[in-house]
Coordinates of all heavy atoms in Angstrom, one line a residue:
M1 N -19.3 -7.3 7.4 CA -18.6 -6.1 7.0 C -18.4 -6.0 5.5 O -18.4 -7.0 4.8 CB -17.2 -6.2 7.6 CG -17.1 -6.2 9.1 SD -17.8 -4.7 9.9 CE -16.5 -3.5 9.7
K2 N -18.4 -4.8 5.0 CA -18.2 -4.5 3.6 C -16.7 -4.1 3.4 O -16.1 -3.6 4.3 CB -19.1 -3.4 3.1 CG -20.5 -3.6 3.6 CD -21.2 -4.8 3.0 CE -22.7 -4.8 3.4 NZ -23.2 -6.1 3.3
K3 N -16.2 -4.4 2.2 CA -14.8 -4.1 1.8 C -14.7 -3.5 0.4 O -15.6 -3.8 -0.4 CB -14.0 -5.4 1.9 CG -13.8 -5.9 3.3 CD -12.9 -7.1 3.3 CE -11.5 -6.9 2.9 NZ -10.6 -6.1 3.8
S4 N -13.7 -2.7 0.2 CA -13.4 -2.2 -1.1 C -11.9 -2.0 -1.1 O -11.2 -1.6 -0.1 CB -14.1 -0.9 -1.4 OG -13.9 -0.5 -2.7
I5 N -11.3 -2.3 -2.3 CA -9.8 -2.2 -2.4 C -9.5 -1.4 -3.7 O -10.2 -1.6 -4.7 CB -9.2 -3.6 -2.5 CG1 -9.4 -4.4 -1.2 CG2 -7.7 -3.5 -2.9 CD1 -8.9 -5.8 -1.2
S6 N -8.5 -0.6 -3.6 CA -8.0 0.1 -4.8 C -6.5 -0.1 -4.8 O -5.8 0.1 -3.8 CB -8.3 1.6 -4.8 OG -7.9 2.2 -5.9
I7 N -5.9 -0.4 -6.0 CA -4.5 -0.6 -6.2 C -4.1 0.5 -7.3 O -4.6 0.5 -8.4 CB -4.1 -2.0 -6.7 CG1 -4.6 -3.0 -5.7 CG2 -2.6 -2.0 -7.0 CD1 -4.4 -4.4 -6.2
I8 N -3.4 1.5 -6.8 CA -3.1 2.7 -7.6 C -1.6 2.7 -8.0 O -0.7 2.5 -7.1 CB -3.4 4.0 -6.8 CG1 -4.9 3.9 -6.3 CG2 -3.1 5.2 -7.5 CD1 -5.1 4.8 -5.1
Q9 N -1.3 2.8 -9.3 CA 0.0 2.8 -9.8 C 0.7 4.2 -9.4 O 0.2 5.2 -9.9 CB 0.1 2.6 -11.3 CG -0.5 1.2 -11.7 CD 0.2 0.1 -11.1 OE1 1.4 0.0 -11.0 NE2 -0.6 -0.9 -10.5
T10 N 1.8 4.1 -8.7 CA 2.5 5.3 -8.3 C 3.8 4.9 -7.7 O 3.9 3.9 -7.1 CB 1.8 6.3 -7.3 OG1 2.6 7.4 -7.1 CG2 1.4 5.6 -6.1
Q11 N 4.8 5.7 -7.9 CA 6.2 5.5 -7.3 C 6.3 6.2 -6.0 O 7.3 6.1 -5.3 CB 7.3 6.0 -8.3 CG 7.2 5.3 -9.6 CD 8.3 4.3 -9.9 OE1 9.3 4.4 -9.3 NE2 8.0 3.3 -10.6
A12 N 5.2 7.0 -5.6 CA 5.3 7.8 -4.4 C 4.3 7.3 -3.3 O 3.9 8.1 -2.5 CB 4.9 9.3 -4.8
A13 N 4.1 6.0 -3.3 CA 3.1 5.5 -2.3 C 3.4 5.8 -0.9 O 2.6 6.2 -0.1 CB 3.0 4.0 -2.6
S14 N 4.7 5.6 -0.5 CA 5.1 5.9 0.9 C 4.9 7.3 1.2 O 4.4 7.6 2.3 CB 6.6 5.5 1.0 OG 7.0 5.7 2.4
S15 N 5.2 8.2 0.4 CA 5.1 9.6 0.6 C 3.6 10.0 0.8 O 3.2 10.7 1.7 CB 5.6 10.4 -0.5 OG 5.3 11.8 -0.4
Y16 N 2.7 9.4 -0.1 CA 1.3 9.7 0.0 C 0.7 9.1 1.3 O -0.1 9.8 2.0 CB 0.5 9.1 -1.2 CG 0.9 9.8 -2.5 CD1 0.9 9.1 -3.7 CD2 1.2 11.2 -2.5 CE1 1.2 9.7 -4.9 CE2 1.5 11.8 -3.7 CZ 1.5 11.1 -4.9 OH 1.8 11.7 -6.1
I17 N 1.1 8.0 1.7 CA 0.6 7.4 3.0 C 1.0 8.3 4.2 O 0.2 8.7 5.0 CB 1.2 6.0 3.3 CG1 0.5 5.0 2.3 CG2 1.0 5.6 4.7 CD1 1.1 3.6 2.4
G18 N 2.2 8.8 4.2 CA 2.7 9.7 5.2 C 1.8 11.0 5.2 O 1.4 11.5 6.3
K19 N 1.6 11.6 4.1 CA 0.9 12.8 4.0 C -0.6 12.6 4.4 O -1.1 13.4 5.1 CB 0.9 13.4 2.5 CG 2.3 13.9 2.2 CD 2.3 14.4 0.7 CE 3.7 14.9 0.4 NZ 3.8 15.4 -1.0
L20 N -1.2 11.6 3.9 CA -2.6 11.3 4.2 C -2.7 11.1 5.8 O -3.6 11.7 6.4 CB -3.1 10.1 3.5 CG -3.3 10.2 2.0 CD1 -3.5 8.9 1.3 CD2 -4.5 11.1 1.7
C21 N -1.9 10.2 6.3 CA -2.1 9.9 7.8 C -1.7 11.1 8.6 O -2.4 11.3 9.6 CB -1.2 8.7 8.1 SG -1.8 7.2 7.5
R22 N -0.8 11.9 8.3 CA -0.5 13.1 9.1 C -1.7 14.1 9.0 O -2.0 14.7 10.0 CB 0.8 13.8 8.6 CG 2.1 13.1 9.0 CD 3.3 14.0 8.7 NE 3.5 14.3 7.3 CZ 4.1 13.5 6.5 NH1 4.6 12.3 6.8 NH2 4.3 13.9 5.2
H23 N -2.3 14.2 7.8 CA -3.5 15.0 7.7 C -4.7 14.5 8.4 O -5.3 15.2 9.2 CB -3.8 15.2 6.2 CG -5.0 16.0 6.0 ND1 -4.9 17.4 6.0 CD2 -6.3 15.7 5.7 CE1 -6.1 17.9 5.8 NE2 -7.0 16.9 5.6
F24 N -4.9 13.2 8.3 CA -6.1 12.6 8.9 C -6.0 12.6 10.4 O -7.0 12.7 11.1 CB -6.3 11.1 8.5 CG -6.7 11.0 7.0 CD1 -6.4 9.8 6.4 CD2 -7.4 12.0 6.4 CE1 -6.7 9.7 5.0 CE2 -7.7 11.8 5.0 CZ -7.4 10.6 4.4
R25 N -4.8 12.5 11.0 CA -4.7 12.4 12.5 C -5.0 13.7 13.2 O -5.1 13.8 14.4 CB -3.4 11.9 12.9 CG -2.2 12.8 12.7 CD -1.0 12.0 13.2 NE 0.2 12.8 13.0 CZ 1.4 12.4 12.9 NH1 1.7 11.1 13.2 NH2 2.5 13.2 12.7
H26 N -5.3 14.8 12.4 CA -5.8 16.0 13.0 C -7.2 15.8 13.5 O -7.7 16.6 14.4 CB -5.7 17.2 12.1 CG -4.3 17.6 11.8 ND1 -3.5 18.3 12.7 CD2 -3.5 17.4 10.7 CE1 -2.3 18.5 12.2 NE2 -2.3 18.0 10.9
K27 N -8.0 14.9 12.9 CA -9.4 14.7 13.2 C -9.7 13.3 13.6 O -10.8 13.1 14.1 CB -10.2 15.1 12.0 CG -10.2 16.6 11.7 CD -11.2 16.9 10.6 CE -11.1 18.4 10.3 NZ -12.1 18.8 9.3
T28 N -8.9 12.3 13.3 CA -9.2 10.9 13.7 C -7.9 10.2 14.0 O -6.8 10.7 13.8 CB -9.9 10.3 12.5 OG1 -10.5 9.0 12.9 CG2 -9.1 10.1 11.3
E29 N -8.0 8.9 14.4 CA -6.8 8.1 14.7 C -6.2 7.7 13.4 O -6.8 7.1 12.5 CB -7.2 6.9 15.5 CG -6.0 6.1 15.9 CD -6.4 4.9 16.8 OE1 -7.5 4.9 17.4 OE2 -5.6 3.9 16.8
A30 N -4.9 8.0 13.2 CA -4.1 7.5 12.0 C -2.7 7.3 12.4 O -2.1 8.1 13.2 CB -4.2 8.6 10.9
T31 N -2.2 6.2 12.0 CA -0.8 5.8 12.2 C -0.2 5.4 10.9 O -0.9 4.9 10.0 CB -0.7 4.6 13.2 OG1 -1.4 3.5 12.7 CG2 -1.2 5.1 14.6
Y32 N 1.2 5.5 10.8 CA 1.9 5.0 9.6 C 3.3 4.7 9.8 O 3.9 5.2 10.8 CB 1.7 6.1 8.5 CG 2.5 7.4 8.8 CD1 3.7 7.6 8.2 CD2 1.9 8.4 9.6 CE1 4.4 8.8 8.5 CE2 2.6 9.5 9.9 CZ 3.8 9.8 9.3 OH 4.5 10.9 9.6
T33 N 3.9 3.9 8.9 CA 5.3 3.6 8.8 C 5.6 4.0 7.4 O 4.8 4.3 6.6 CB 5.6 2.2 9.1 OG1 5.1 1.4 8.0 CG2 5.0 1.7 10.4
P34 N 6.9 3.8 7.0 CA 7.2 4.0 5.5 C 6.4 3.1 4.6 O 6.3 3.5 3.4 CB 8.7 3.8 5.5 CG 9.2 4.1 6.9 CD 8.1 3.6 7.8
T35 N 5.9 2.0 5.0 CA 5.3 1.1 4.1 C 3.8 0.8 4.4 O 3.1 0.1 3.6 CB 6.0 -0.3 4.0 OG1 6.1 -0.8 5.3 CG2 7.4 -0.1 3.4
T36 N 3.3 1.2 5.5 CA 1.9 1.0 5.9 C 1.3 2.2 6.5 O 2.0 3.1 7.1 CB 1.8 -0.2 6.9 OG1 2.4 0.2 8.1 CG2 2.4 -1.5 6.3
G37 N 0.0 2.2 6.5 CA -0.8 3.3 7.2 C -2.1 2.7 7.6 O -2.6 1.7 7.0
R38 N -2.7 3.4 8.6 CA -4.1 3.0 9.0 C -4.8 4.2 9.5 O -4.3 4.9 10.3 CB -4.0 2.0 10.1 CG -5.3 1.4 10.6 CD -5.1 0.3 11.6 NE -6.3 -0.5 11.6 CZ -6.8 -1.1 12.6 NH1 -6.3 -0.9 13.8 NH2 -7.9 -1.8 12.5
A39 N -6.0 4.4 8.9 CA -6.8 5.5 9.4 C -8.1 4.9 9.9 O -8.8 4.2 9.1 CB -7.1 6.5 8.2
I40 N -8.5 5.3 11.1 CA -9.8 4.8 11.7 C -10.7 6.0 11.7 O -10.6 6.9 12.5 CB -9.5 4.2 13.1 CG1 -8.5 3.1 13.0 CG2 -10.8 3.8 13.7 CD1 -8.1 2.6 14.4
F41 N -11.7 5.9 10.8 CA -12.7 6.9 10.7 C -13.9 6.6 11.5 O -14.1 5.4 11.9 CB -13.2 7.1 9.2 CG -12.1 7.5 8.3 CD1 -11.4 6.5 7.5 CD2 -11.7 8.8 8.1 CE1 -10.4 6.9 6.7 CE2 -10.7 9.2 7.3 CZ -10.0 8.2 6.5
P42 N -14.8 7.5 11.9 CA -16.0 7.1 12.7 C -16.9 6.1 11.9 O -17.6 5.4 12.6 CB -16.7 8.5 12.8 CG -15.7 9.5 12.6 CD -14.7 8.9 11.6
F43 N -16.7 6.0 10.6 CA -17.6 5.1 9.9 C -16.8 3.9 9.2 O -17.4 3.2 8.4 CB -18.3 5.9 8.8 CG -17.6 7.1 8.2 CD1 -16.6 6.9 7.3 CD2 -17.8 8.4 8.8 CE1 -15.9 8.0 6.8 CE2 -17.1 9.4 8.3 CZ -16.1 9.3 7.3
G44 N -15.6 3.7 9.6 CA -14.8 2.6 9.0 C -13.3 2.8 9.1 O -12.9 3.8 9.6
T45 N -12.6 1.8 8.5 CA -11.2 1.8 8.6 C -10.5 1.7 7.2 O -11.1 1.0 6.3 CB -10.7 0.6 9.4 OG1 -11.2 0.8 10.7 CG2 -9.2 0.6 9.5
C46 N -9.4 2.3 7.0 CA -8.6 2.2 5.7 C -7.2 1.7 6.1 O -6.5 2.4 6.8 CB -8.6 3.4 4.9 SG -7.6 3.2 3.4
E47 N -6.8 0.6 5.6 CA -5.5 0.1 5.7 C -4.8 0.5 4.4 O -5.3 0.4 3.3 CB -5.4 -1.4 5.8 CG -6.2 -2.0 7.0 CD -5.5 -1.7 8.4 OE1 -4.3 -1.4 8.4 OE2 -6.2 -1.8 9.4
M48 N -3.5 1.0 4.5 CA -2.8 1.5 3.3 C -1.5 0.7 3.3 O -0.8 0.5 4.3 CB -2.5 2.9 3.4 CG -3.7 3.8 3.6 SD -3.4 5.5 4.0 CE -4.6 5.8 5.3
I49 N -1.1 0.3 2.1 CA 0.2 -0.4 1.9 C 0.9 0.3 0.7 O 0.4 0.6 -0.3 CB 0.0 -1.9 1.5 CG1 -0.8 -2.6 2.6 CG2 1.3 -2.6 1.2 CD1 -1.3 -3.9 2.3
A50 N 2.2 0.6 1.0 CA 3.1 1.2 0.0 C 4.0 0.1 -0.6 O 4.7 -0.6 0.1 CB 4.0 2.3 0.5
K51 N 3.8 -0.2 -1.9 CA 4.7 -1.1 -2.6 C 5.6 -0.2 -3.5 O 5.3 1.0 -3.7 CB 3.9 -2.1 -3.4 CG 3.0 -3.0 -2.5 CD 2.3 -4.0 -3.3 CE 1.5 -4.9 -2.4 NZ 0.8 -5.9 -3.1
P52 N 6.7 -0.8 -4.1 CA 7.6 0.1 -4.9 C 6.9 0.9 -6.0 O 7.3 2.0 -6.3 CB 8.6 -0.9 -5.5 CG 8.6 -2.1 -4.5 CD 7.2 -2.1 -4.0
D53 N 5.8 0.3 -6.6 CA 5.2 1.1 -7.7 C 3.6 1.1 -7.5 O 2.9 1.3 -8.5 CB 5.6 0.5 -9.0 CG 5.2 -0.9 -9.2 OD1 4.8 -1.6 -8.2 OD2 5.4 -1.5 -10.3
Q54 N 3.2 0.8 -6.3 CA 1.7 0.8 -6.0 C 1.4 1.3 -4.6 O 2.1 1.1 -3.7 CB 1.2 -0.6 -6.1 CG 1.3 -1.3 -7.5 CD 0.8 -2.7 -7.5 OE1 0.9 -3.4 -6.5 NE2 0.3 -3.2 -8.6
L55 N 0.2 1.9 -4.6 CA -0.4 2.3 -3.3 C -1.7 1.5 -3.2 O -2.5 1.6 -4.1 CB -0.7 3.8 -3.3 CG -1.6 4.3 -2.2 CD1 -0.9 4.1 -0.8 CD2 -1.8 5.8 -2.3
V56 N -1.9 0.8 -2.1 CA -3.0 0.0 -1.9 C -3.9 0.5 -0.8 O -3.4 0.8 0.3 CB -2.7 -1.5 -1.6 CG1 -3.9 -2.3 -1.4 CG2 -1.8 -2.1 -2.7
F57 N -5.2 0.8 -1.1 CA -6.1 1.1 -0.1 C -7.1 -0.1 0.1 O -7.6 -0.6 -0.8 CB -7.0 2.3 -0.5 CG -6.3 3.6 -0.6 CD1 -6.6 4.5 -1.6 CD2 -5.4 4.0 0.3 CE1 -6.0 5.8 -1.7 CE2 -4.8 5.3 0.3 CZ -5.1 6.2 -0.7
D58 N -7.2 -0.5 1.4 CA -8.1 -1.6 1.7 C -9.1 -1.0 2.8 O -8.7 -0.9 3.9 CB -7.3 -2.7 2.3 CG -8.1 -4.0 2.5 OD1 -9.4 -3.9 2.5 OD2 -7.5 -5.0 2.7
I59 N -10.3 -0.8 2.4 CA -11.4 -0.2 3.2 C -12.3 -1.2 3.8 O -12.7 -2.2 3.1 CB -12.2 0.8 2.4 CG1 -11.4 1.9 1.8 CG2 -13.4 1.4 3.3 CD1 -12.2 2.8 0.8
T60 N -12.6 -1.1 5.1 CA -13.6 -1.9 5.7 C -14.6 -1.0 6.4 O -14.2 -0.1 7.1 CB -12.9 -2.9 6.7 OG1 -11.9 -3.6 6.1 CG2 -14.0 -3.8 7.3
A61 N -15.9 -1.3 6.3 CA -16.9 -0.6 7.0 C -18.2 -1.5 7.1 O -18.2 -2.5 6.5 CB -17.3 0.7 6.2
S62 N -19.1 -1.0 7.9 CA -20.3 -1.9 8.2 C -21.3 -1.9 7.1 O -22.1 -2.8 7.0 CB -20.9 -1.5 9.5 OG -21.4 -0.1 9.4
N63 N -21.3 -0.9 6.2 CA -22.3 -0.8 5.1 C -21.7 -0.1 3.9 O -20.7 0.6 4.0 CB -23.6 -0.2 5.6 CG -23.4 1.2 6.1 OD1 -22.9 2.1 5.4 ND2 -23.6 1.5 7.4
A64 N -22.4 -0.2 2.8 CA -22.0 0.4 1.5 C -21.9 1.9 1.6 O -21.0 2.5 1.0 CB -22.9 -0.1 0.4
E65 N -22.8 2.5 2.3 CA -22.8 4.0 2.4 C -21.5 4.5 3.0 O -20.9 5.4 2.6 CB -24.0 4.4 3.1 CG -24.1 6.0 3.3 CD -25.3 6.4 4.1 OE1 -26.3 5.7 4.0 OE2 -25.2 7.5 4.7
D66 N -21.1 3.8 4.1 CA -19.9 4.2 4.8 C -18.6 3.9 4.0 O -17.7 4.7 4.0 CB -19.8 3.5 6.2 CG -20.8 4.0 7.2 OD1 -21.3 5.1 6.9 OD2 -21.0 3.3 8.2
I67 N -18.6 2.8 3.2 CA -17.5 2.6 2.2 C -17.4 3.8 1.3 O -16.3 4.2 1.0 CB -17.8 1.3 1.4 CG1 -17.6 0.0 2.3 CG2 -16.9 1.2 0.2 CD1 -16.2 -0.4 2.6
E68 N -18.5 4.2 0.8 CA -18.5 5.4 -0.2 C -18.0 6.6 0.5 O -17.3 7.4 -0.1 CB -19.9 5.6 -0.8 CG -20.3 4.4 -1.7 CD -19.4 4.1 -2.8 OE1 -18.9 5.1 -3.5 OE2 -19.1 3.0 -3.1
K69 N -18.3 6.8 1.8 CA -17.8 8.0 2.5 C -16.3 8.0 2.6 O -15.6 9.0 2.3 CB -18.4 8.1 3.9 CG -19.8 8.5 4.0 CD -20.2 8.5 5.5 CE -21.7 8.6 5.7 NZ -22.1 8.5 7.1
I70 N -15.8 6.8 2.9 CA -14.3 6.7 3.1 C -13.6 6.9 1.7 O -12.6 7.5 1.6 CB -13.9 5.3 3.7 CG1 -14.5 5.3 5.1 CG2 -12.4 5.2 3.7 CD1 -14.3 3.9 5.8
K71 N -14.2 6.3 0.7 CA -13.7 6.5 -0.7 C -13.6 7.9 -1.0 O -12.6 8.4 -1.5 CB -14.5 5.8 -1.7 CG -14.4 4.3 -1.8 CD -15.3 3.8 -2.9 CE -15.5 2.4 -3.0 NZ -16.4 1.9 -4.1
G72 N -14.6 8.7 -0.7 CA -14.7 10.1 -1.0 C -13.6 10.9 -0.3 O -12.9 11.7 -0.9
V73 N -13.4 10.6 1.0 CA -12.4 11.2 1.8 C -11.0 10.9 1.2 O -10.1 11.8 1.0 CB -12.4 10.8 3.2 CG1 -11.2 11.3 4.0 CG2 -13.7 11.3 3.9
L74 N -10.7 9.6 0.9 CA -9.4 9.2 0.4 C -9.1 9.9 -1.0 O -8.0 10.4 -1.2 CB -9.4 7.7 0.3 CG -9.3 6.9 1.6 CD1 -9.5 5.4 1.3 CD2 -8.0 7.2 2.3
V75 N -10.1 9.8 -1.9 CA -9.9 10.3 -3.2 C -9.6 11.8 -3.2 O -8.7 12.3 -3.8 CB -11.0 9.9 -4.2 CG1 -11.0 10.7 -5.5 CG2 -11.1 8.4 -4.4
R76 N -10.5 12.6 -2.5 CA -10.3 14.0 -2.4 C -8.9 14.4 -1.9 O -8.2 15.3 -2.5 CB -11.4 14.7 -1.5 CG -12.7 14.9 -2.1 CD -13.6 15.8 -1.3 NE -13.7 15.3 0.1 CZ -14.6 14.4 0.6 NH1 -15.4 13.8 -0.2 NH2 -14.6 14.1 1.9
H77 N -8.5 13.8 -0.8 CA -7.2 14.1 -0.2 C -6.0 13.6 -1.1 O -5.0 14.3 -1.3 CB -7.1 13.6 1.2 CG -8.0 14.4 2.1 ND1 -9.3 14.1 2.3 CD2 -7.8 15.5 2.9 CE1 -9.9 14.9 3.1 NE2 -8.9 15.8 3.5
L78 N -6.1 12.4 -1.6 CA -5.0 11.9 -2.4 C -4.9 12.7 -3.7 O -3.7 13.1 -4.0 CB -5.3 10.4 -2.8 CG -4.2 9.8 -3.7 CD1 -2.9 9.8 -3.0 CD2 -4.6 8.4 -4.0
L79 N -5.9 13.1 -4.3 CA -5.8 14.0 -5.5 C -5.2 15.3 -5.2 O -4.4 15.9 -6.0 CB -7.2 14.2 -6.2 CG -7.7 12.9 -6.8 CD1 -9.1 13.2 -7.4 CD2 -6.8 12.3 -7.9
K80 N -5.5 15.8 -4.0 CA -4.8 17.1 -3.6 C -3.3 16.9 -3.4 O -2.6 17.8 -3.8 CB -5.5 17.5 -2.2 CG -5.1 18.9 -1.8 CD -5.7 19.3 -0.5 CE -7.1 19.0 -0.3 NZ -7.7 19.4 1.0
F81 N -2.9 15.8 -2.8 CA -1.5 15.6 -2.5 C -0.7 15.1 -3.7 O 0.5 15.2 -3.8 CB -1.3 14.6 -1.4 CG -1.9 15.0 0.0 CD1 -2.6 14.2 0.7 CD2 -1.6 16.3 0.4 CE1 -3.1 14.6 2.0 CE2 -2.1 16.7 1.7 CZ -2.8 15.9 2.4
S82 N -1.4 14.6 -4.7 CA -0.7 14.0 -5.9 C -0.9 14.9 -7.1 O -0.9 14.4 -8.2 CB -1.3 12.6 -6.2 OG -2.7 12.7 -6.6
Y83 N -1.0 16.2 -6.9 CA -1.3 17.1 -8.1 C -0.2 17.0 -9.2 O -0.5 17.4 -10.3 CB -1.5 18.5 -7.6 CG -0.3 19.1 -7.0 CD1 0.6 19.9 -7.8 CD2 0.0 19.0 -5.6 CE1 1.8 20.4 -7.2 CE2 1.2 19.5 -5.1 CZ 2.0 20.2 -5.9 OH 3.2 20.8 -5.3
K84 N 1.0 16.5 -8.8 CA 2.1 16.5 -9.8 C 2.0 15.3 -10.7 O 2.7 15.2 -11.7 CB 3.4 16.5 -9.1 CG 3.7 17.8 -8.4 CD 5.1 17.7 -7.8 CE 5.4 19.0 -7.1 NZ 6.7 19.0 -6.4
E85 N 1.1 14.3 -10.4 CA 1.0 13.2 -11.3 C -0.5 12.8 -11.4 O -1.3 13.2 -10.6 CB 1.7 11.9 -10.8 CG 1.2 11.3 -9.5 CD 2.0 10.1 -9.1 OE1 2.2 9.2 -9.9 OE2 2.4 10.0 -7.9
E86 N -0.9 12.2 -12.5 CA -2.2 11.8 -12.8 C -2.4 10.4 -12.3 O -1.9 9.4 -12.9 CB -2.6 11.9 -14.3 CG -4.0 11.7 -14.6 CD -4.3 12.0 -16.1 OE1 -3.7 12.9 -16.7 OE2 -5.2 11.3 -16.6
L87 N -3.2 10.2 -11.3 CA -3.4 8.8 -10.7 C -4.8 8.3 -11.3 O -5.7 9.0 -11.4 CB -3.5 8.9 -9.2 CG -2.2 9.4 -8.5 CD1 -2.5 9.4 -7.0 CD2 -1.0 8.5 -8.9
I88 N -4.8 7.0 -11.5 CA -6.0 6.3 -11.8 C -6.5 5.5 -10.6 O -5.7 4.7 -10.1 CB -5.8 5.3 -13.0 CG1 -5.3 6.1 -14.3 CG2 -7.0 4.5 -13.3 CD1 -4.9 5.3 -15.4
I89 N -7.6 5.9 -10.1 CA -8.2 5.3 -8.9 C -9.4 4.5 -9.2 O -10.4 5.1 -9.5 CB -8.4 6.4 -7.8 CG1 -7.2 7.2 -7.6 CG2 -8.9 5.7 -6.5 CD1 -7.4 8.5 -6.7
E90 N -9.3 3.2 -9.2 CA -10.5 2.4 -9.4 C -10.7 1.4 -8.2 O -9.7 1.0 -7.6 CB -10.2 1.5 -10.7 CG -10.1 2.4 -11.9 CD -9.8 1.6 -13.2 OE1 -9.3 0.4 -13.1 OE2 -10.0 2.1 -14.3
W91 N -11.9 1.2 -7.9 CA -12.2 0.4 -6.7 C -12.8 -1.0 -7.1 O -13.5 -1.1 -8.1 CB -13.2 1.1 -5.9 CG -12.7 2.4 -5.4 CD1 -12.9 3.7 -6.0 CD2 -11.9 2.6 -4.2 NE1 -12.2 4.6 -5.2 CE2 -11.6 4.0 -4.1 CE3 -11.4 1.8 -3.2 CZ2 -10.9 4.6 -3.1 CZ3 -10.7 2.3 -2.2 CH2 -10.4 3.7 -2.2
Q92 N -12.4 -2.0 -6.3 CA -13.0 -3.3 -6.4 C -13.8 -3.5 -5.1 O -13.2 -3.7 -4.1 CB -11.9 -4.4 -6.5 CG -11.0 -4.2 -7.8 CD -9.8 -5.2 -7.8 OE1 -9.5 -5.8 -6.8 NE2 -9.2 -5.3 -8.9
D93 N -15.1 -3.6 -5.3 CA -15.9 -3.7 -4.1 C -16.3 -5.1 -3.9 O -16.7 -5.9 -4.8 CB -17.2 -2.9 -4.3 CG -17.0 -1.4 -4.5 OD1 -16.0 -0.9 -3.9 OD2 -17.8 -0.7 -5.1
D94 N -16.3 -5.5 -2.6 CA -16.8 -6.8 -2.1 C -17.8 -6.4 -1.1 O -17.5 -6.3 0.1 CB -15.7 -7.6 -1.5 CG -16.2 -8.9 -0.9 OD1 -17.4 -9.3 -1.2 OD2 -15.4 -9.6 -0.3
M95 N -19.0 -6.3 -1.6 CA -20.1 -5.8 -0.7 C -20.8 -7.0 0.0 O -21.8 -6.8 0.6 CB -21.1 -5.0 -1.5 CG -20.5 -3.7 -2.0 SD -19.9 -2.7 -0.6 CE -19.1 -1.4 -1.4
A96 N -20.3 -8.2 -0.1 CA -20.9 -9.3 0.6 C -20.6 -9.2 2.0 O -19.5 -8.8 2.4 CB -20.3 -10.6 0.0
S97 N -21.6 -9.4 2.8 CA -21.4 -9.2 4.3 C -21.0 -10.6 4.9 O -21.4 -11.6 4.5 CB -22.8 -8.9 4.9 OG -22.6 -8.8 6.3
S98 N -20.0 -10.5 5.9 CA -19.6 -11.7 6.5 C -20.6 -12.3 7.4 O -20.4 -13.4 8.0 CB -18.3 -11.4 7.3 OG -18.5 -10.4 8.3
T99 N -21.7 -11.6 7.7 CA -22.8 -12.1 8.6 C -23.9 -12.7 7.8 O -24.9 -13.1 8.3 CB -23.3 -11.0 9.5 OG1 -23.8 -9.9 8.7 CG2 -22.2 -10.5 10.4
D100 N -23.8 -12.7 6.4 CA -24.9 -13.2 5.6 C -25.0 -14.7 5.8 O -24.1 -15.4 5.9 CB -24.7 -12.9 4.1 CG -25.0 -11.5 3.8 OD1 -25.5 -10.8 4.7 OD2 -24.6 -11.0 2.7

C-alpha cells in the first residue's frame, strides 16, 4: 500500500471534516465525528483528524496514481470550503509498498 499525509494549519479542522464528509457521502462512504473523519473512495481511503490547530489527512491507496486522485479530490473540495482562509497544503509521500 502507498501512503501520503498532509498536516494543514487551521483552527477550523473539525468544521472542514464535517463539510467534506457530508459532501463525499453523496457519492461514496464517508463517516465523521467532531474530531475524525473517514472517506472510502473507489481508489483508496482518507482518514482525517481534527486537532485544535491542525487538520490531518492520511491517505492510503494501492498505487501512486490513486494517491494522486485522492489528493486532487481533497484539495479541490477543501479549497472550496475554506475560501475564507488561505491554507497551505503540502504532502509527505511514503510510496514504499508494504509488499516489497
